[in-house]
């Protein structure tokens, strides 16, 4: 696992956007796995700026969704499908038919989950999966004690995650669904490159458990330690609990330029 400590959220966004741009230059029809939440927004903004400047072409790029609320109609403004359309597809000029996502309104949710895993595999797999992290160490919506081998399935949110996400629902926790579909941890680990971005002091404990703690289902993000190409990009505040921070700084400062992220 590579850990990159950046000054702030903007620098993290720029670094990850550049990794995506490099991928798209090498593989124009790359399948980008995208995450929701506040953390990835600087990435999407930086990538959109590169598209506008003609520095990268996203016209053949494909996008895959990480997770979704169960029961919110697809056109609900806070369904992750709507959020990603607004925050990723439109600013990057990626057509809706290049978007893969699970159906959060399916009558048979389990069948919808299995179908989504099949669709991801048939699309050739995710090339780069961008991940945020919950304050409890969740990735996607894989809450603590999710199986590290799990596939896409329905999950129940913890009260903490519903509280954290209430800000997207007018601060009203009553509007936050209890159930979600999420790519499983086993599914996420199949992406070729995992990039976890974490910013802000609120993530410091979860980041330390992810990077320096044991691989344990109680911290789902610690599964990144099992992946051959995982990059954790953190700002100074999210890195504040890392015991090996100086080592990570030294390693990145001395990294050969050609290696990229
Ligand atoms: N399902 C999403 C996660 O994919 C995201 O990583 C997390 C953190 O969000 P934020 O970046 O807003 O802290 O929120 C939600 O729970």
């Amino acid at each position: 696992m590579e850990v990159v400590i950046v000054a702030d959220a903007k620098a993290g966004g720029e670094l990850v956007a550049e990794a995506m741009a490099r991928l798209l230059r090498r593989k124009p029809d790359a399948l980008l796995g995208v995450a929701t939440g506040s953390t990835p927004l600087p990435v999407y903004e930086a990538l959109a700026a590169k598209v506008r400047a003609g520095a990268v072409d996203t016209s053949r790029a494909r996008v895959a969704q990480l997770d979704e609320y169960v029961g919110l109609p697809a056109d609900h403004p806070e369904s992750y499908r709507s959020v990603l359309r607004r925050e990723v597809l439109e600013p990057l000029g990626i057509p809706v038919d290049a978007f893969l996502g699970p159906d959060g309104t399916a009558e048979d949710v389990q069948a919808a989950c299995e179908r989504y895993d099949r669709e991801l595999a048939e699309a050739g797999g995710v090339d780069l999966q961008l991940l945020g992290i919950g304050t409890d160490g969740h990735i996607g919506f894989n809450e603590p004690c999710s199986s590290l081998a799990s596939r896409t399935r329905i999950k129940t949110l913890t009260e903490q995650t519903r509280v954290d996400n209430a800000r997207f629902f007018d601060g009203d926790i009553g509007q936050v669904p209890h159930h979600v579909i999420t790519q499983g941890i086993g599914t996420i680990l199949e992406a070729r490159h995992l990039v976890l971005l974490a910013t802000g002091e609120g993530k410091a404990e979860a980041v330390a458990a992810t990077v320096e703690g044991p691989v344990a289902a109680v911290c789902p993000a610690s599964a990144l330690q099992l992946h051959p190409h995982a990059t954790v990009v953190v700002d100074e505040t999210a890195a504040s609990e890392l015991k090996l921070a100086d080592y990570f700084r030294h390693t990145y400062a001395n990294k050969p330029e050609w290696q990229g992220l």
Side-chain angles (χ1 to χ4, degrees):
M1 172 186 290
E2 176 176 36
V3 180
V4 183
I5 301 175
V6 294
D8 52 27
K10 192 167 185 290
E14 182 53 46
L15 191 71
V16 176
E18 186 50 35
M20 287 179 163
R22 273 196 208 201
L23 168 64
L24 287 167
R25 285 179 204 121
R26 185 163 48 80
K27 184 177 179 185
D29 65 346
L31 182 55
L32 301 175
V34 291
T36 52
S38 314
T39 313
L41 295 177
V43 177
Y44 306 142
E45 280 156 20
L47 192 55
K50 290 179 194 294
V51 173
R52 286 194 302 274
V56 63
D57 177 10
T58 46
S59 61
R60 291 175 57 203
R62 298 168 299 150
V63 167
Q65 191 173 347
L66 183 60
D67 47 13
E68 181 58 280
Y69 290 112
V70 168
L72 286 191
D75 61 356
H76 186 289
E78 292 308 323
S79 79
Y80 280 175
R81 184 174 291 253
S82 299
V83 170
L84 292 172
R85 186 180 290 206
R86 218 163 46 228
E87 292 173 354
V88 179
L89 298 183
E90 285 169 7
L92 295 181
I94 298 175
V96 177
D97 62 7
F99 179 72
L100 292 177
D103 180 0
T105 59
E107 215 161 283
D108 186 341
V109 178
Q110 182 54 32
C113 293
E114 288 169 19
R115 190 166 57 243
Y116 188 46
D117 269 345
R118 269 198 313 277
E119 282 170 5
L120 289 173
E122 283 163 14
V126 172
D127 289 293
L128 185 157
Q129 176 65 56
L130 176 59
L131 298 164
I133 186 168
T135 51
D136 58 5
H138 74 241
I139 48 174
F141 269 134
N142 292 283
E143 296 284 29
C145 295
S146 290
S147 158
L148 300 185
S150 50
R151 311 300 304 172
T152 300
R153 70 216 181 290
I154 189 167
K155 288 290 288 181
T156 304
L157 293 181
T158 62
E159 210 50 15
Q160 181 62 55
T161 300
R162 293 184 65 241
V163 168
D164 287 347
N165 289 3
R167 68 189 194 279
F168 298 113
F169 293 84
D170 307 320
D172 175 9
I173 190 173
Q175 291 183 44
V176 184
H178 285 272
H179 295 106
V180 291
I181 291 175
T182 182
Q183 283 191 34
I185 298 175
T187 313
I188 292 170
L189 290 175
E190 284 170 4
R192 292 179 189 87
H193 183 192
L194 298 180
V195 179
L196 186 146
L197 180 62
T199 52
E201 208 177 344
K203 301 293 172 68
E205 216 176 292
V207 166
T210 298
V211 173
E212 296 175 346
V215 175
V218 75
C219 176
S222 66
L224 266 70
Q225 295 179 33
L226 300 169
H227 195 280
H229 190 189
T231 309
V232 175
V233 178
V234 286
D235 72 354
E236 289 287 349
T237 53
S240 58
E241 299 280 327
L242 288 174
K243 293 190 181 68
L244 292 170
D246 285 342
Y247 170 67
F248 297 136
R249 283 194 191 92
H250 172 79
T251 307
Y252 189 64
N254 290 287
K255 183 174 176 171
E257 204 182 308
W258 48 267
Q259 273 188 354
L261 266 197

